[in-house]
Amino acid sequence: MTLSDRIPSWKKLSLFAVTWPIFIDSVLRMMLGTVDVFMLSRISDKATGAVGLANEIIYFCILMFGFVGIGTSVAVSQYIGAGREKEASRISALAITMNLIFGILVSIVLFLCGEPLLRLMNLDPEQIGIASHYLKIIGGFIWIEALSYAVSSVIRASGQTKSVMYVTLGVNIIHVTGNYLLIFGNWGFPEWGVTGAAISTVVSRLLGIVVLFLILYRRVPSPIRGRDFVTWKGSYAKQIMSVGLPAAGEHLAWQSQYLMIMSFVNMISITALNTHVYVMNVSNYFMALAMAIGAGTEIIVGQMVGAGEMKAAYQRLMKSVRISFVLTLAIVGTAVIFRHELIGMFTKDPTIIALGASIFLLSIVLEPGRTFNIVIINSLRAAGDARFPVLMGVLSMWGVSVPLAYTLGVHFGMGLLGVWIAFTVDEWLRGVIMLLRWRSRAWEKKALVKPVSISENGMGAQA
């Protein structure tokens, strides 16, 4: 079959077919942390706040694992779009090995240095003990999540988003069951509380990565050979890093400014901290749809760019932005109606419920701005334009969000509401800048690979 007879891979993908499994998968992944917070809230608000803060450090590490995952997803998508499946498999294997090594190093750091990190965040002394124990268990096995992130990125980039979703569903079922047995000591199991939640998380993730590897070998377009995992190719690593390192820089900037702002929240009060943890656990679901649309659009845009279809890529992103904006408003608007009930799922403290409800009202303004960032930045990276988002992100987050959060929340005494106003200003500022960048079409010159053309002997060759 000649290249002209072949249907381009990106034409086989619809946004809905790619996105809805990513949406469900994103929700299920968020539930891994929310389930711990929800179930531990039945023990005490203090334990919930401690675990919530420990999870922020864990999420920070998981985001850093994403620098290889994001670079891999973009490179694999472009290679597949260019019709170069074998190279897509080679670069996938290298990325998985890179993330595993990185994950092991991070596990060692968290196991040995978890408590000092928590002390830097002004946490209540009693909560430090709880959070440190939780962090040591999960942090020591965080390499599992690093491996999972890389393998999932490869599977998704090939368009097999449903497979990852089913694995995450299974992990959640195991996790919830483990929490039920080990937190509360049901069915004759030991009552381990926070320790039980941590062990349940580790075991469920370990089982999940085993299944992901089985899927990897069955679903990738071209088989991955064992030696590919230990074969170093500098050009592949450079392509991964050219997108991954800037993405890591943006994630590092966001998470580090977030941790800084969390220290401001701790300065306000324990009530503010607990409220923030509860609201964030719900707010994460607000942006889940935008994250899914952003990830789905990234896969399609990456394949379009790899195939040289720049006009189609431009139009695809603009449509995705409009869809995610409208749907985000609908979801947040509905949630705001039930804001008191949502916070009431986690606590019965009337002060926390009232404060959390006021923050939810602000989400109507905040979340649409965040939608611009999530969807557009994903597509800028998919096109290979990864440096601009991190530069603007650092300037906005550390130049606007951090100082404004301290000024409003602490200096002027607006408390948690002032902190969330700072979040809102930052998200909208970056969102508008990212939209202008996409409309400028500067990203069209950033593609990592070129499509295959037909050579004189009828074989594929790089154009």
Side-chain angles (χ1 to χ4, degrees):
M1 180 174 66
T2 65
L3 188 65
S4 60
D5 295 326
R6 174 181 167 183
I7 299 175
S9 58
W10 59 269
K11 287 189 175 181
K12 301 176 184 178
L13 302 177
S14 72
L15 182 64
F16 177 76
V18 173
T19 295
W20 77 261
I22 297 177
F23 171 65
I24 300 300
D25 180 71
S26 298
V27 171
L28 291 172
R29 285 180 182 272
M30 290 174 187
M31 285 179 63
L32 286 173
T34 304
V35 164
D36 285 351
V37 171
F38 178 78
M39 289 186 162
L40 289 172
S41 68
R42 298 312 186 248
I43 297 176
S44 72
D45 287 333
K46 187 164 291 187
T48 303
V51 169
L53 196 58
N55 274 330
E56 295 301 337
I57 296 177
I58 292 167
Y59 295 152
F60 173 80
C61 295
I62 292 174
L63 283 174
M64 294 309 297
F65 297 149
F67 88 85
V68 171
I70 291 170
T72 303
S73 180
V74 170
V76 171
S77 294
Q78 289 196 19
Y79 272 114
I80 292 175
R84 298 162 65 181
E85 286 87 356
K86 289 184 178 180
E87 289 175 270
S89 293
R90 304 296 92 80
I91 200 171
S92 298
L94 176 61
I96 291 169
T97 300
M98 290 170 60
N99 234 25
L100 174 60
I101 294 171
F102 183 37
I104 292 172
L105 293 175
V106 173
S107 289
I108 293 172
V109 171
L110 289 182
F111 185 81
L112 298 177
C113 306
E115 185 169 332
L117 288 174
L118 291 166
R119 293 187 183 279
L120 290 175
M121 300 177 68
N122 301 316
L123 191 63
D124 179 82
E126 186 177 345
Q127 289 180 302
I128 286 179
I130 300 172
S132 176
H133 186 63
Y134 181 85
L135 185 60
K136 182 169 289 189
I137 296 174
I138 292 185
F141 290 92
I142 200 71
W143 59 267
I144 300 173
E145 194 65 15
L147 203 54
S148 174
Y149 206 118
V151 176
S152 296
S153 296
V154 173
I155 297 172
R156 282 176 172 169
S158 65
Q160 303 292 333
T161 55
K162 289 183 183 179
S163 301
V164 178
M165 177 195 70
Y166 290 135
V167 173
T168 307
L169 175 61
V171 168
N172 271 265
I173 293 173
I174 295 170
H175 180 55
V176 171
T177 303
N179 275 6
Y180 177 76
L181 298 176
L182 298 178
I183 291 178
F184 307 109
N186 291 307
W187 296 358
F189 282 81
E191 185 177 349
W192 284 342
V194 172
T195 300
I199 293 174
S200 173
T201 299
V202 169
V203 171
S204 60
R205 285 176 175 172
L206 183 60
L207 294 174
I209 190 58
V210 172
V211 178
L212 282 175
F213 264 105
L214 294 175
I215 294 172
L216 177 69
Y217 277 93
R218 293 185 177 185
R219 299 297 175 88
V220 291
S222 179
I224 296 178
R225 301 166 300 182
R227 64 176 179 270
D228 292 331
F229 290 105
V230 293
T231 300
W232 175 265
K233 188 169 182 179
S235 60
Y236 289 163
K238 183 178 179 180
Q239 288 175 333
I240 293 171
M241 296 299 186
S242 68
V243 175
L245 285 179
E250 188 209 346
H251 286 163
L252 178 61
W254 189 91
Q255 196 68 24
S256 60
Q257 64 95 27
Y258 183 75
L259 292 175
M260 175 64 75
I261 292 175
M262 283 291 286
S263 71
F264 299 160
V265 174
N266 289 333
M267 293 168 62
I268 297 170
S269 68
I270 292 180
T271 297
L273 171 63
N274 292 336
T275 303
H276 181 78
V277 170
Y278 293 141
V279 172
M280 279 302 298
N281 271 275
V282 178
S283 294
N284 286 336
Y285 293 90
F286 291 167
M287 57 181 171
L289 184 59
M291 291 173 62
I293 294 175
T297 304
E298 175 186 308
I299 293 169
I300 298 173
V301 166
Q303 294 196 15
M304 288 175 170
V305 170
E309 299 287 343
M310 300 303 178
K311 183 178 179 180
Y314 179 87
Q315 294 173 341
R316 175 66 274 166
L317 182 276
M318 297 306 295
K319 290 179 182 178
S320 294
V321 167
R322 291 192 290 269
I323 292 170
S324 63
F325 190 89
V326 171
L327 291 178
T328 297
L329 275 178
I331 292 173
V332 175
T334 302
V336 164
I337 297 174
F338 303 100
R339 60 190 183 278
H340 292 90
E341 290 79 6
L342 287 171
I343 296 296
M345 291 171 56
F346 296 94
T347 181
K348 301 302 179 184
D349 188 324
T351 304
I352 293 178
I353 292 175
L355 179 58
S358 67
I359 301 300
F360 272 131
L361 283 174
L362 186 61
S363 295
I364 296 179
V365 180
L366 185 155
E367 297 302 335
R370 198 192 323 256
T371 292
F372 277 91
N373 282 319
I374 293 171
V375 178
I376 301 177
I377 288 177
N378 276 24
S379 287
L380 284 172
R381 290 189 192 124
D385 189 10
R387 295 184 180 180
F388 182 81
V390 65
L391 176 61
M392 291 298 102
V394 171
L395 291 175
S396 179
M397 287 181 276
W398 282 94
V400 176
S401 184
V402 170
L404 190 60
Y406 181 83
T407 302
L408 297 179
V410 180
H411 182 72
F412 286 117
M414 294 179 66
L416 192 60
L417 182 60
V419 168
W420 279 69
I421 290 175
F423 285 146
T424 303
V425 173
D426 167 57
E427 294 288 357
W428 269 102
L429 176 61
R430 286 189 291 128
V432 171
I433 291 173
M434 293 306 117
L435 180 60
L436 293 175
R437 177 67 171 187
W438 184 260
R439 291 176 68 89
S440 75
R441 295 180 178 266
W443 49 272
E444 292 185 0
K445 302 177 182 179
K446 307 288 186 178
L448 303 180
V449 301
K450 294 181 180 179
V452 168
S453 63
I454 301 299
S455 64
E456 293 181 359
N457 61 6
M459 301 296 293
Q462 182 174 323

